[in-house]
Amino acid sequence: MSRVLVTGAAGFIGSRIAEFLRAADHEVVGVDALIPAAHPVDAGLPDGVHRVDVADHEAIVALLDGVDVVCHQAAMVGAGVDASDAPRYARENDFGTARLLAAMFDAGCARLVLASSMVVYGAGRFLDADGTPVHPVGDRRPEDLRAGTFEHLRDGQPLRWTLTDEDTPFAPSTSYAASKCAQEHYARAWSEQTGGSVVALRYHNVYGPWMPRDTPYAGVASVFRSRLAAGLAPLVFEDGGQMRDFVHVDDVAQANGCAIDATDADGFRALNVCSGTPISIGTVARLLSEATGGPVPEITGGFRLGDVRHVVADPRRAQEHIGFRAMIPPDEGIARFASEPLRRSAGQAPAGMSGKVTSNRLPESRLDATIDPEWASTRP
């Protein structure tokens, strides 16, 4: 068994990974900086977790003594409030990762499992009317969105989504996405420079118990949950037909375990972590409403410039390379999630409509009253 340093070990995903690894008889050393966007104000540290920032070089080098592999989960996540968040993403994600990699080099630790994200792809892969693969970037025009045309168009014809594999080019559309691309670039460069091994796990929409709530950095599933808990209908952007892959946090923990146990890991490898079962955002809202007996979701017709229409993962490479296959189908897991606990963070929802939500149905004067300020990304 391995000695594993897990960063972000008190967080939503990191804590589940640490629990999974301990159950598999790995020795876990946990660190977490308890950033407010992800943790309650009065959050305590779980047993075996040190309050350390990954950018603290000396502290991390000391904790890396005897460590075989680093499982790097610490990050600021989500689409955030607006472009003013960019320095925070750069500091928490990019600078923190660069410092961690330098500490690993100094400590002689040569294996990294990196939490990456589907957001690196931007818009996923599509097929045009002739069945030719395309990767659309920036072709959802504001005038089309305002008219209620949400699909990508080429020559006036809608594109059809297809599975997004790991060879899809990077096309970040938010500061968070740019920071995840940078993390992968730093990790790849570190691997080339040191001969170290990196497995970058590109999480798709992660959900499950103790997911953060009441923050603009939370995921859409927890936003729907929060509204239902308040007796309010979930608010669904566009027409609800946005296709995604929702993967349960327990499957994400299993994927990390598979990556840590992989014996053929060499150089840099990126893998999708997903359920393998596409599901629409509207269906996620409906499943949660039905499971809680709450109000029927409201399709708002609203949109955010920069949001992507469809990103649906190809799961095959993760099964081929590390033997990972998700065990929890989204319909079952989301119904179960409807009654599971959430965590309240110290992060505050935006007071107004920063990261502007636009609607093709609602007059501008009604937006603040109608679109809940707890909006969040449909990304992990």
Side-chain angles (χ1 to χ4, degrees):
M1 294 296 110
S2 298
R3 181 177 171 90
V4 185
L5 177 72
V6 178
T7 73
F12 164 49
I13 296 175
S15 61
R16 211 69 169 184
I17 292 171
E19 180 182 347
F20 179 92
L21 294 177
R22 290 190 184 100
D25 293 328
H26 291 288
E27 183 182 355
V28 175
V29 179
V31 299
D32 201 299
L34 297 183
I35 63 172
H39 299 276
V41 176
D42 58 350
L45 285 169
D47 290 342
V49 177
H50 306 268
R51 186 163 189 170
V52 173
D53 192 316
V54 295
D56 185 337
H57 185 84
E58 291 184 2
I60 294 296
V61 169
L63 289 169
L64 282 168
D65 184 33
V67 165
D68 302 298
V69 56
V70 172
C71 184
H72 183 31
Q73 307 298 314
M76 180 173 160
V77 302
V81 177
D82 54 33
S84 67
D85 273 331
R88 297 181 66 194
Y89 284 115
R91 194 273 174 208
E92 299 292 347
N93 298 356
D94 305 338
F95 180 70
T97 297
R99 293 280 288 182
L100 174 66
L101 292 169
M104 290 177 65
F105 174 71
D106 286 349
C109 182
R111 292 188 61 204
L112 173 70
V113 176
L114 172 68
S116 187
S117 171
M118 60 174 263
V119 296
V120 300
Y121 300 128
R125 286 196 180 273
F126 288 76
L127 302 175
D128 67 14
D130 297 325
T132 303
V134 294
H135 183 218
V137 177
D139 63 356
R140 291 215 300 166
R141 302 181 306 170
E143 55 267 35
D144 292 332
L145 296 171
R146 292 190 188 99
T149 300
F150 300 117
E151 300 294 344
H152 291 277
L153 300 177
R154 286 286 171 91
D155 300 322
Q157 298 298 313
L159 301 179
R160 293 178 290 125
W161 64 265
T162 189
L163 295 181
T164 299
D165 66 17
E166 293 84 349
D167 296 328
T168 302
F170 283 3
S173 60
T174 65
S175 296
Y176 170 57
S179 76
K180 300 308 284 186
C181 293
Q183 282 185 296
E184 286 203 26
H185 288 318
Y186 276 113
R188 183 186 290 273
W190 174 87
S191 174
E192 293 286 344
Q193 291 175 306
T194 67
S197 166
V198 178
V199 180
L201 299 178
R202 293 175 180 167
Y203 301 160
H204 286 251
N205 295 68
V206 186
Y207 70 96
W210 301 110
M211 191 174 184
R213 56 165 292 179
D214 300 334
T215 164
Y217 307 99
V220 69
S222 70
V223 175
F224 290 161
R225 276 283 313 275
S226 294
R227 286 191 60 84
L228 286 164
L232 301 172
L235 298 176
V236 181
F237 289 175
E238 301 186 13
D239 60 1
Q242 308 95 304
M243 297 300 295
R244 296 289 190 272
D245 188 301
F246 278 73
V247 58
H248 195 277
V249 68
D250 287 350
D251 281 326
V252 172
Q254 178 201 347
N256 278 269
C258 289
I260 287 166
D261 291 340
T263 57
D264 65 343
D266 187 28
F268 179 94
R269 178 174 292 148
L271 303 171
N272 285 329
V273 173
C274 59
S275 71
T277 303
I279 190 170
S280 73
I281 297 298
T283 299
V284 172
R286 177 180 58 79
L287 288 171
L288 289 171
S289 293
E290 291 175 351
T292 60
V296 173
E298 179 185 343
I299 307 299
T300 69
F303 61 90
R304 287 201 309 271
L305 295 176
D307 274 1
V308 298
R309 178 61 176 174
H310 307 297
V311 183
V312 178
D314 187 332
R316 290 173 291 186
R317 201 169 294 184
Q319 184 169 2
E320 175 185 347
H321 288 290
I322 62 172
F324 167 70
R325 183 175 182 179
M327 303 301 293
I328 304 173
D331 54 351
E332 174 188 317
I334 289 167
R336 193 167 74 203
F337 173 63
S339 59
E340 291 175 330
L342 298 177
R343 68 166 69 192
R344 183 179 294 277
S345 78
Q348 297 298 310
M353 291 308 297
S354 300
K356 192 75 169 178
V357 176
T358 307
S359 172
N360 59 30
R361 297 192 302 123
L362 301 170
E364 195 75 15
S365 61
R366 289 183 55 207
L367 279 174
D368 288 346
T370 307
I371 306 294
D372 191 90
E374 290 177 354
W375 61 268
S377 172
T378 53
R379 307 176 177 89

